[in-house]
């Protein structure tokens, strides 16, 4: 009986959100079938599986927030809700035959590069395996961030993050605290305000909120997009083109955003009649510096009699009493030390974007983790390849985020890069695990310097706010300072001059797969 060996695959992909499923489709279309998707949960969907809070929806138009290779003529609204987006991803999974490649309940515990074998050794919660190429599609919105608040552990009521909604807890008639004013909070607040007894919003920084131009998509439109696919493509193209034209205001001429800012101020005035509350909800930074939010119901909900807005963060928790850090309350007085007794705390405090936890589990060629390599800030070549981590690609890595368009466009660009990366490995003799590519540190540094120079004049760096685009050192390691078409051009092909080619000893046998020991 032959010795049992670990399974070896050509490609291992972490995650089954848009990035992971898109990678699987592109691999199959490129003729690569020797791959697995490693998913820590029991279903596909990524952030659209995990975020099930009331009112959860996308702020990108539906026909742009979908794969170009999998158009959907059945979107029910111009801005679709979580359930419809998740159903779309389930349909993509089945249409392209991806389920046989998925390993559910398989959280990646560690991935370590083997310098001699030139492959990744991966340990999950269920198995161990090796792979020539590791693709991290875990995504920046995967792991919720809850701030370290003194006394929070002793709070006697319900505590949960927006991305881990407790559907077993009944909010009706409860006193609820909402911590944060980001994209999730502006959807949650109007959804729960009518049913709670009291809602207290802890607002460190007000957001710019514009009207949401949402409507039901008619049956005629659906029929037309289904029967004449070119009409759907035209619609998608128009949505894309409009957003491409907006990019220069964000990246080169932030002063032009003053027109949009005027719309934001009008949106506040029309819904908030109380001058003190209106002043509290009006940002003092340039619109676009933080993510622009869309809602028609957020401000009316804040004006309701059972809602109080504290212009302050949460300082500490004393039993069931929450203590504000400072600022002013809706009543107009000082919010410094304001105490509020609540039954439940909901955190809408975002995710680990600039310190992604998956980086702590990936160890490169020099024996250090990706988190250690990024201790001074995330950095990679074209948002995809980090120095010292051969044959590792990230989908939506450093400086590939957007402030005004669809991230699916950026994902597809990185998938183009992945397919060409594999093609280069094949040309170099890598099909049998004999070669690898390692990003040259000088190439990474040159790319990062190029991106940072372009970021220096953007609204995200100059708008006068502290946002999740910036890391702990105040460096913007998140946003892409250009158009999506520019990024697609930059990631269309792998430039071998930016990589060192690694080769395994010719005498070393290639990895084999033995599933039954025979």
């Amino acid at each position: 009986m032959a010795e049992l060996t670990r399974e070896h695959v050509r490609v291992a992909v972490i995650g089954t959100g848009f990035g992971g499923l898109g990678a699987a489709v592109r691999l199959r279309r490129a003729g690569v079938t020797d791959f697995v998707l490693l998913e820590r949960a029991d279903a596909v969907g990524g952030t659209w599986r995990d975020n099930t809070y009331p009112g959860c929806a996308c702020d990108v138009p539906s026909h742009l927030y979908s794969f170009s290779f999998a158009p959907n003529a059945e979107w029910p609204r111009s801005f679709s809700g979580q359930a419809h987006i998740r159903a779309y991803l389930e349909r993509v999974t089945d249409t392209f035959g991806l389920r046989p490649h998925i390993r559910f309940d398989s959280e990646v515990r560690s991935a370590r590069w083997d310098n001699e074998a030139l492959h990744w050794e991966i340990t999950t919660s269920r198995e161990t395996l090796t792979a020539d190429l590791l693709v991290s599609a875990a995504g920046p919105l995967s792991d919720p961030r809850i701030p370290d608040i003194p006394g929070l552990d002793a709070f006697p009521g319900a505590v949960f993050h927006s991305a881990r909604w407790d559907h077993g807890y009944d909010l009706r008639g409860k006193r609820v605290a909402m911590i944060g004013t980001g994209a999730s909070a502006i959807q949650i607040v109007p959804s729960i305000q009518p049913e709670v007894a009291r809602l207290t919003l802890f607002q460190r920084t007000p957001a710019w909120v514009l009207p949401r131009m949402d409507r039901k998509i008619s049956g005629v439109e659906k029929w037309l997009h289904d029967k004449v696919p070119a009409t759907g493509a035209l619609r998608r193209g128009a949505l894309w083109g409009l957003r491409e034209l907006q990019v220069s205001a964000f990246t080169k001429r932030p002063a032009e955003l003053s027109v949009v800012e005027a719309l934001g101020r009008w949106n506040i005035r029309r819904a908030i009649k109380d001058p003190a509350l209106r002043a509290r909800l009006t940002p003092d930074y340039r619109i676009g510096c933080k993510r622009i939010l869309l809602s028609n119901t957020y401000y009316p909900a804040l004006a309701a009699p059972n809602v109080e807005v504290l212009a302050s963060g949460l300082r500490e928790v004393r039993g069931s009493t929450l203590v504000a850090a400072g600022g002013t309350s809706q009543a107009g007085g000082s919010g410094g030390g304001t105490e509020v007794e609540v039954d439940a705390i909901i955190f809408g405090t975002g995710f680990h974007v600039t310190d992604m936890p998956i980086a702590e589990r990936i160890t490169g060629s020099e024996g250090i983790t990706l988190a250690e390599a990024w201790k001074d800030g995330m950095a990679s070549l074209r948002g995809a390849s980090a120095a010292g981590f051969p044959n590792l690609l990230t989908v939506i890595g450093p400086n590939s985020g957007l402030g005004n368009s669809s991230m699916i466009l950026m994902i597809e660009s990185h998938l183009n890069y992945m397919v060409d990366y594999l093609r280069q490995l094949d040309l170099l003799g890598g099909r049998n695990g004999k070669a690898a590519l390692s990003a040259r540190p000088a190439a990474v540094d040159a790319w990062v310097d190029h991106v940072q120079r372009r970021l220096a004049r953007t609204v995200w760096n100059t708008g006068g706010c502290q946002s999740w685009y910036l890391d702990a050192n105040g460096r913007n390691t998140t946003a892409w300072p250009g158009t999506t078409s520019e990024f697609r051009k930059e990631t269309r092909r792998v430039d071998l001059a930016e990589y060192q080619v690694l080769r395994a000893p010719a005498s070393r046998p290639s990895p084999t797969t033995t599933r039954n020991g025979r």
Side-chain angles (χ1 to χ4, degrees):
M1 180 177 291
E3 181 183 355
L4 183 68
T5 62
R6 285 177 295 185
E7 180 183 9
H8 179 82
V9 294
R10 180 68 168 148
V11 185
V13 181
I14 304 174
T16 60
F18 268 99
L21 296 178
V25 173
R26 290 301 307 278
L27 287 170
R28 286 183 62 90
R29 296 179 73 178
V32 179
T33 58
D34 183 17
F35 68 89
V36 296
L37 302 180
L38 303 174
E39 172 54 58
R40 65 185 178 184
D42 59 0
V44 303
T47 190
W48 294 107
R49 175 200 61 233
D50 296 340
N51 286 267
T52 59
Y53 59 80
C56 183
C58 189
D59 58 5
V60 176
S62 303
H63 289 85
L64 192 58
Y65 200 77
S66 50
F67 291 120
S68 63
F69 51 77
N72 180 21
E74 295 299 319
W75 289 120
R77 304 192 65 84
S78 51
F79 290 89
S80 291
Q82 175 267 340
H84 294 106
I85 297 174
R86 182 176 179 183
Y88 169 76
L89 291 173
E90 292 279 0
R91 189 159 60 253
V92 167
T93 302
D94 292 328
T95 299
F96 291 93
L98 305 182
R99 292 197 187 275
H101 297 277
I102 302 175
R103 309 283 172 86
F104 290 114
D105 300 310
S106 295
E107 182 177 12
V108 173
R109 300 282 176 78
S110 69
R112 181 176 294 273
W113 177 253
D114 187 320
N115 285 314
E116 295 186 3
L118 295 189
H119 65 215
W120 287 95
E121 296 183 351
I122 305 164
T123 300
T124 76
S125 54
R126 297 175 65 93
E127 62 184 329
T128 60
L129 67 156
T130 59
D132 294 330
L133 178 66
L134 178 63
V135 178
S136 176
L141 305 183
S142 300
D143 295 278
R145 184 182 66 84
I146 294 181
D148 185 15
I149 305 295
L152 181 61
D153 292 343
F155 179 71
V159 178
F160 48 90
H161 190 278
S162 59
R164 300 292 185 269
W165 195 268
D166 185 355
H167 291 278
Y169 184 80
D170 190 355
L171 291 172
R172 288 177 296 183
K174 300 296 196 304
R175 300 164 300 176
V176 180
M178 181 78 224
I179 315 300
T181 53
S184 299
I186 71 156
Q187 295 177 345
I188 293 170
V189 166
S191 297
I192 68 173
Q193 174 268 319
E195 63 184 32
V196 302
R198 187 75 180 167
L199 178 59
T200 303
L201 177 67
F202 284 76
Q203 171 194 268
R204 285 196 309 174
T205 308
W208 282 108
V209 182
L210 299 181
R212 183 181 179 87
M213 309 303 289
D214 188 26
R215 67 173 179 84
K216 183 179 180 180
I217 296 177
S218 69
V220 173
E221 291 173 278
K222 294 179 184 178
W223 179 88
L224 189 61
H225 293 334
D226 181 46
K227 301 303 181 183
V228 188
T231 62
L234 181 62
R235 183 174 190 159
R236 176 186 175 90
L239 292 167
W240 166 78
L242 177 61
R243 281 153 182 78
E244 291 289 274
L245 292 175
Q246 297 169 349
V247 170
S248 63
F250 287 84
T251 60
K252 298 177 181 178
R253 294 179 289 274
E256 293 180 355
L257 292 168
S258 60
V259 177
V260 186
E261 211 166 275
L263 176 60
R265 294 180 188 278
W266 168 82
N267 196 36
I268 298 173
R269 287 197 304 271
R270 69 169 180 163
I272 306 296
K273 304 307 178 184
D274 176 12
L277 178 58
R278 189 187 308 155
R280 198 166 305 116
L281 295 174
T282 302
D284 61 359
Y285 56 87
R286 175 67 72 192
I287 194 170
C289 182
K290 293 170 73 74
R291 183 175 176 180
I292 300 175
L293 308 180
L294 305 177
S295 177
N296 299 324
T297 56
Y298 179 61
Y299 289 140
L302 295 184
N306 67 331
V307 178
E308 180 178 18
V309 178
L310 299 180
S312 168
L314 176 60
R315 187 177 74 194
E316 64 176 306
V317 178
R318 300 172 184 166
S320 59
T321 300
L322 275 56
V323 183
T328 55
S329 69
Q330 190 160 322
S334 172
T338 297
E339 298 184 0
V340 182
E341 191 168 355
V342 301
D343 304 304
I345 305 173
I346 303 171
F347 283 95
T349 46
F351 299 83
H352 289 276
V353 175
T354 59
D355 58 341
M356 294 184 286
I358 190 65
E360 300 174 358
R361 307 182 183 193
I362 299 175
T363 303
S365 60
E366 298 178 5
I368 63 173
T369 66
L370 188 57
E372 292 171 324
W374 284 351
K375 68 182 187 308
D376 295 323
M378 299 190 300
S380 67
L381 176 64
R382 304 181 189 276
S385 299
F389 295 82
N391 282 15
L392 169 68
L393 294 178
T394 53
V395 178
I396 308 302
N399 291 116
S400 55
L402 296 176
N404 77 312
S405 191
S406 173
M407 286 304 301
I408 312 307
L409 301 169
M410 303 296 277
I411 287 172
E412 290 196 24
S413 292
H414 267 152
L415 300 184
N416 291 339
Y417 198 77
M418 175 195 71
V419 170
D420 195 58
Y421 195 103
L422 276 171
R423 185 182 70 86
Q424 297 290 353
L425 289 180
D426 287 345
L427 292 174
L428 292 166
R431 184 174 295 278
N432 295 316
K434 297 297 183 182
L437 293 174
S438 183
R440 296 181 182 276
V444 175
D445 291 343
W447 173 260
V448 171
D449 288 345
H450 166 69
V451 171
Q452 291 299 320
R453 283 197 303 272
R454 293 187 61 181
L455 280 168
R457 62 193 294 189
T458 66
V459 69
W460 308 303
N461 284 35
T462 65
C465 74
Q466 178 67 36
S467 73
W468 58 266
Y469 298 122
L470 310 180
D471 64 17
N473 300 314
R475 184 163 163 263
N476 191 330
T477 59
T478 304
W480 166 245
T483 64
T484 62
S485 54
E486 284 181 285
F487 191 76
R488 179 151 298 195
K489 181 180 179 181
E490 295 283 8
T491 53
R492 191 176 302 279
R493 296 283 185 269
V494 170
D495 182 358
L496 288 180
E498 296 179 328
Y499 287 89
Q500 178 185 3
V501 178
L502 308 178
R503 298 188 183 278
S507 60
R508 185 178 181 88
S510 62
T512 59
T513 301
T514 305
R515 297 179 186 272
N516 58 10
R518 297 182 184 276

